[in-house]
Amino acid sequence: MSNVNTAVNTTNPFRGKKGINSFNNRLFTILVWTVGIAIVLFILGLLFLILKDGLPKLSWDFLFGLPSEIEEGGGIGPALLNSFYILFLSLVIAIPLGMAAGIYLAEFAPDNKLISFVRICVEGLASVPSIIFGLFGIALFVEMFQLGLTILGGAVSLAFLNLPVLTRVTEESIRAVPKELKNASFALGATHLQTIVRVLIPAAMNGIITGICLVAGRAFGESAVIILTAGVTTSGEMWDFSLFSPGETLAVHLWYVQSEAIVPDAQDIAQKSAAVLVFFVLLINLVFRIPLWMNSRKMTRS
């Protein structure tokens, strides 16, 4: 009997002195709570520092006014519109292609060395600096197609930037769905396409929307790609939806005002632009979270 107890004690890695285990558990819990609270306070403090100087000064004239090169009192209207316009165009391109690629890798791609190499390439592209995609956009749209700095070039370049992330997020979300759901769908007579559309994608929707939320926030605040492919100017009109117009976004306008502009109130414009940029990034994240909450409630009720 003693030999059995000795064998259990030596093979169980979780056995030990109760007092030491309890102390280590409490110490670890305190450490995790401390780090978590510190990170939350740091984020809230950073948001407060950015928003406190800009939000109280905002006005409709600033949000929808035209920018000024020399005189003070210019607005951010065209740049703000271009930000949403380019974001919308890039997501329209990136979401279908990224989801299709992720579904293919998760459901149809064979398990061989070629597909493993493709996955490594996709993961590598997801970590490539954004300026590389900007240089690619210059080579493709400015030099090859001779389009110049346009909204179209900026949107497609942003889509290329977001494609690897959406592909990997979709693949991992589909793979995380329990195989029992997939087998149950097949057992009921569903085809592979019906299983993907009606079972796998709804079950993986939380992860997919989280990935879309991340790339949308990144695209809205991206500046390097836009500077190289869409330029640092606008057409000078508020509601210009031409794909071939210059596409300065709010992030690019913030950089330009802070570093290159000669207007007397450049610092004031930079503070207000930064507040608007942060506010809309938070709003985009909130908007994309709404489908997650609705899907979670639907899954809970069912």
Side-chain angles (χ1 to χ4, degrees):
M1 188 69 178
S2 60
N3 293 335
V4 174
N5 293 333
T6 303
V8 172
N9 291 333
T10 55
T11 57
N12 188 353
F14 300 103
R15 290 185 61 87
K17 295 183 178 180
K18 185 176 181 180
I20 296 179
N21 289 340
S22 178
F23 174 78
N24 291 336
N25 183 56
R26 291 181 180 180
L27 181 63
F28 179 75
T29 302
I30 294 173
L31 177 63
V32 171
W33 272 95
T34 302
V35 173
I37 293 175
I39 292 175
V40 171
L41 291 177
F42 173 77
I43 294 174
L44 292 177
L46 182 62
L47 291 175
F48 175 76
L49 291 176
I50 296 175
L51 298 176
K52 73 180 181 66
D53 294 327
L55 283 183
K57 303 176 184 178
L58 293 180
S59 64
W60 292 112
D61 293 334
F62 177 76
L63 292 176
F64 295 99
L66 298 178
S68 176
E69 294 292 337
I70 300 176
E71 298 179 357
E72 64 180 16
I76 59 171
L80 184 60
L81 174 66
N82 287 342
S83 297
F84 285 103
Y85 191 31
I86 292 178
L87 173 63
F88 173 76
L89 293 175
S90 65
L91 291 181
V92 166
I93 299 171
I95 291 176
L97 295 179
M99 288 186 62
I103 292 172
Y104 170 77
L105 291 176
E107 289 295 311
F108 297 98
D111 187 11
N112 53 34
K113 293 182 178 180
L114 177 61
I115 298 301
S116 299
F117 177 72
V118 170
R119 288 193 177 94
I120 294 174
C121 292
V122 172
E123 292 176 355
L125 287 175
S127 60
V128 168
S130 59
I131 194 171
I132 303 300
F133 289 92
L135 295 175
F136 173 77
I138 287 181
L140 183 63
F141 296 102
V142 179
E143 297 182 1
M144 180 179 296
F145 295 120
Q146 299 294 317
L147 295 179
L149 302 176
T150 61
I151 290 177
L152 178 62
V156 176
S157 299
L158 274 183
F160 289 155
L161 175 67
N162 293 330
L163 264 176
V165 178
L166 285 176
T167 300
R168 289 298 295 155
V169 167
T170 302
E171 181 187 1
E172 293 302 324
S173 299
I174 295 294
R175 288 181 175 274
V177 177
K179 292 184 179 180
E180 289 78 8
L181 291 178
K182 181 179 178 180
N183 295 333
S185 179
F186 287 146
L188 292 174
T191 62
H192 200 173
L193 177 61
Q194 291 174 328
T195 300
I196 292 173
V197 174
R198 298 184 180 181
V199 178
L200 296 182
I201 292 180
M205 189 58 65
N206 286 356
I208 295 174
I209 293 181
T210 299
I212 295 174
C213 177
L214 293 175
V215 300
R218 180 186 183 186
F220 191 84
E222 181 59 45
S223 58
V225 173
I226 302 300
I227 291 173
L228 295 176
T229 58
V232 295
T233 60
T234 65
S235 63
E237 300 178 8
M238 178 59 200
W239 306 104
D240 185 7
F241 293 97
S242 173
L243 295 176
F244 301 99
S245 297
E248 178 194 44
T249 61
L250 183 57
V252 175
H253 184 70
L254 173 60
W255 167 82
Y256 177 77
V257 169
Q258 189 69 23
S259 59
E260 303 291 337
I262 58 175
V263 290
D265 59 340
Q267 185 65 28
D268 187 54
I269 294 176
Q271 291 176 351
K272 292 187 288 187
S273 299
V276 173
L277 182 63
V278 171
F279 174 78
F280 278 110
V281 169
L282 294 176
L283 183 62
I284 290 172
N285 281 268
L286 179 62
V287 169
F288 278 103
R289 291 290 174 181
I290 293 176
L292 292 180
W293 297 332
M294 296 177 62
N295 188 49
S296 297
R297 292 185 62 182
K298 181 179 178 181
M299 297 293 290
T300 302
R301 291 179 180 179
S302 60

Coordinates of all heavy atoms in Angstrom, one line a residue, residues 99 103 107-108 174 182 185-186 190-205 208 295 298:
M99 N -12.1 35.6 -46.1 CA -12.9 34.5 -45.6 C -12.9 33.3 -46.5 O -12.8 32.2 -46.1 CB -14.4 35.0 -45.4 CG -14.6 36.0 -44.2 SD -16.3 36.3 -44.0 CE -17.0 34.7 -43.6
I103 N -11.5 29.7 -45.4 CA -12.4 28.6 -45.5 C -11.7 27.5 -46.3 O -11.8 26.3 -46.0 CB -13.7 28.9 -46.0 CG1 -14.5 29.8 -45.0 CG2 -14.6 27.7 -46.4 CD1 -15.8 30.4 -45.6
E107 N -11.0 23.9 -44.8 CA -11.9 22.8 -45.1 C -11.5 22.0 -46.4 O -11.9 20.9 -46.5 CB -13.3 23.4 -45.3 CG -14.0 23.8 -44.1 CD -14.2 22.6 -43.1 OE1 -14.8 21.6 -43.6 OE2 -13.9 22.7 -42.0
F108 N -10.8 22.6 -47.3 CA -10.6 22.0 -48.6 C -9.1 21.7 -48.9 O -8.8 20.8 -49.7 CB -11.1 22.9 -49.7 CG -12.6 23.1 -49.7 CD1 -13.1 24.3 -49.1 CD2 -13.5 22.2 -50.2 CE1 -14.5 24.5 -49.1 CE2 -14.8 22.3 -50.1 CZ -15.4 23.5 -49.6
I174 N -12.7 28.7 -38.0 CA -13.3 27.5 -38.5 C -12.8 26.2 -37.9 O -13.6 25.3 -37.6 CB -13.2 27.5 -40.1 CG1 -13.9 28.7 -40.7 CG2 -13.7 26.2 -40.6 CD1 -15.4 28.7 -40.6
K182 N -20.0 19.6 -37.1 CA -19.8 19.3 -38.5 C -20.3 17.9 -38.8 O -21.0 17.7 -39.8 CB -18.3 19.4 -38.9 CG -18.0 19.2 -40.3 CD -16.5 19.4 -40.6 CE -16.1 19.1 -42.0 NZ -14.7 19.3 -42.3
S185 N -24.1 17.7 -38.8 CA -24.6 18.3 -40.0 C -24.6 17.3 -41.2 O -25.6 17.1 -41.9 CB -23.9 19.6 -40.4 OG -24.4 20.1 -41.6
F186 N -23.4 16.6 -41.3 CA -23.3 15.6 -42.4 C -24.3 14.5 -42.1 O -24.9 13.9 -43.1 CB -21.9 15.1 -42.5 CG -20.9 16.0 -43.1 CD1 -19.6 16.1 -42.6 CD2 -21.3 16.9 -44.1 CE1 -18.7 17.0 -43.2 CE2 -20.4 17.8 -44.7 CZ -19.1 17.8 -44.2
A190 N -26.8 17.1 -44.8 CA -26.4 18.4 -45.4 C -25.1 18.2 -46.3 O -24.3 17.3 -46.0 CB -26.0 19.4 -44.3
T191 N -25.0 19.0 -47.3 CA -23.8 19.0 -48.2 C -22.7 19.8 -47.5 O -22.9 20.4 -46.4 CB -24.1 19.6 -49.5 OG1 -24.5 21.0 -49.3 CG2 -25.3 18.9 -50.2
H192 N -21.5 19.7 -48.1 CA -20.4 20.4 -47.5 C -20.6 21.9 -47.5 O -20.3 22.6 -46.5 CB -19.1 20.0 -48.3 CG -17.9 20.3 -47.5 ND1 -16.6 19.9 -47.9 CD2 -17.7 20.9 -46.3 CE1 -15.7 20.3 -47.0 NE2 -16.3 20.9 -46.0
L193 N -21.2 22.4 -48.6 CA -21.5 23.8 -48.7 C -22.5 24.3 -47.7 O -22.3 25.3 -47.0 CB -22.0 24.2 -50.1 CG -22.4 25.6 -50.3 CD1 -21.2 26.6 -50.1 CD2 -22.9 25.8 -51.7
Q194 N -23.6 23.5 -47.5 CA -24.6 23.8 -46.5 C -24.0 23.7 -45.1 O -24.3 24.6 -44.2 CB -25.7 22.8 -46.6 CG -26.6 23.0 -47.9 CD -27.6 21.9 -48.0 OE1 -27.4 20.8 -47.6 NE2 -28.8 22.3 -48.7
T195 N -23.1 22.8 -44.9 CA -22.5 22.7 -43.5 C -21.6 23.9 -43.3 O -21.6 24.5 -42.1 CB -21.6 21.4 -43.5 OG1 -22.4 20.3 -43.7 CG2 -20.9 21.3 -42.1
I196 N -20.9 24.4 -44.3 CA -20.0 25.6 -44.1 C -20.9 26.8 -43.8 O -20.6 27.6 -42.9 CB -19.1 25.8 -45.3 CG1 -18.1 24.7 -45.4 CG2 -18.4 27.1 -45.2 CD1 -17.3 24.7 -46.6
V197 N -21.9 27.0 -44.6 CA -22.7 28.2 -44.6 C -23.6 28.3 -43.3 O -23.7 29.3 -42.7 CB -23.6 28.4 -45.9 CG1 -24.5 29.6 -45.7 CG2 -22.7 28.6 -47.1
R198 N -24.2 27.1 -43.0 CA -25.2 27.1 -41.9 C -24.7 26.7 -40.6 O -25.4 26.9 -39.6 CB -26.4 26.2 -42.4 CG -27.1 26.7 -43.6 CD -28.3 25.8 -44.0 NE -29.0 26.3 -45.2 CZ -30.1 25.7 -45.7 NH1 -30.6 24.7 -45.0 NH2 -30.6 26.2 -46.8
V199 N -23.6 26.0 -40.6 CA -23.1 25.5 -39.3 C -21.7 26.1 -38.9 O -21.6 26.7 -37.8 CB -23.0 23.9 -39.3 CG1 -22.4 23.4 -38.0 CG2 -24.3 23.3 -39.6
L200 N -20.7 26.0 -39.8 CA -19.4 26.4 -39.4 C -19.2 27.9 -39.3 O -18.7 28.4 -38.3 CB -18.4 25.8 -40.4 CG -18.3 24.3 -40.5 CD1 -17.2 23.9 -41.5 CD2 -18.0 23.7 -39.2
I201 N -19.7 28.6 -40.3 CA -19.6 30.1 -40.2 C -20.3 30.7 -39.1 O -19.8 31.5 -38.4 CB -20.0 30.7 -41.6 CG1 -19.0 30.3 -42.7 CG2 -20.1 32.2 -41.5 CD1 -19.3 30.9 -44.0
P202 N -21.6 30.3 -38.8 CA -22.3 30.9 -37.7 C -21.6 30.5 -36.3 O -21.5 31.4 -35.4 CB -23.7 30.3 -37.7 CG -23.9 30.0 -39.2 CD -22.6 29.6 -39.7
A203 N -21.1 29.3 -36.2 CA -20.4 28.9 -35.0 C -19.1 29.7 -34.8 O -18.6 29.9 -33.7 CB -20.2 27.4 -35.0
A204 N -18.4 30.0 -36.0 CA -17.1 30.7 -35.9 C -17.3 32.2 -36.0 O -16.3 32.9 -36.1 CB -16.2 30.2 -37.0
M205 N -18.5 32.7 -36.0 CA -18.7 34.1 -36.3 C -18.1 35.1 -35.3 O -17.6 36.1 -35.7 CB -20.2 34.4 -36.4 CG -20.6 35.8 -36.9 SD -19.9 36.1 -38.5 CE -20.8 35.0 -39.5
I208 N -14.4 35.5 -36.3 CA -14.3 36.1 -37.6 C -14.6 37.6 -37.4 O -13.8 38.5 -37.9 CB -15.3 35.5 -38.6 CG1 -14.8 34.1 -38.9 CG2 -15.3 36.4 -39.9 CD1 -15.8 33.3 -39.8
N295 N -25.3 37.6 -31.6 CA -25.0 36.2 -31.9 C -24.9 35.4 -30.6 O -25.4 34.3 -30.5 CB -23.8 36.0 -32.7 CG -23.5 34.6 -33.2 OD1 -24.4 34.0 -33.7 ND2 -22.3 34.1 -33.0
K298 N -28.4 34.9 -29.2 CA -29.1 33.9 -30.1 C -28.6 32.5 -29.7 O -29.5 31.6 -29.6 CB -28.9 34.2 -31.5 CG -29.6 33.3 -32.5 CD -29.3 33.7 -33.9 CE -30.0 32.7 -34.9 NZ -29.8 33.1 -36.3

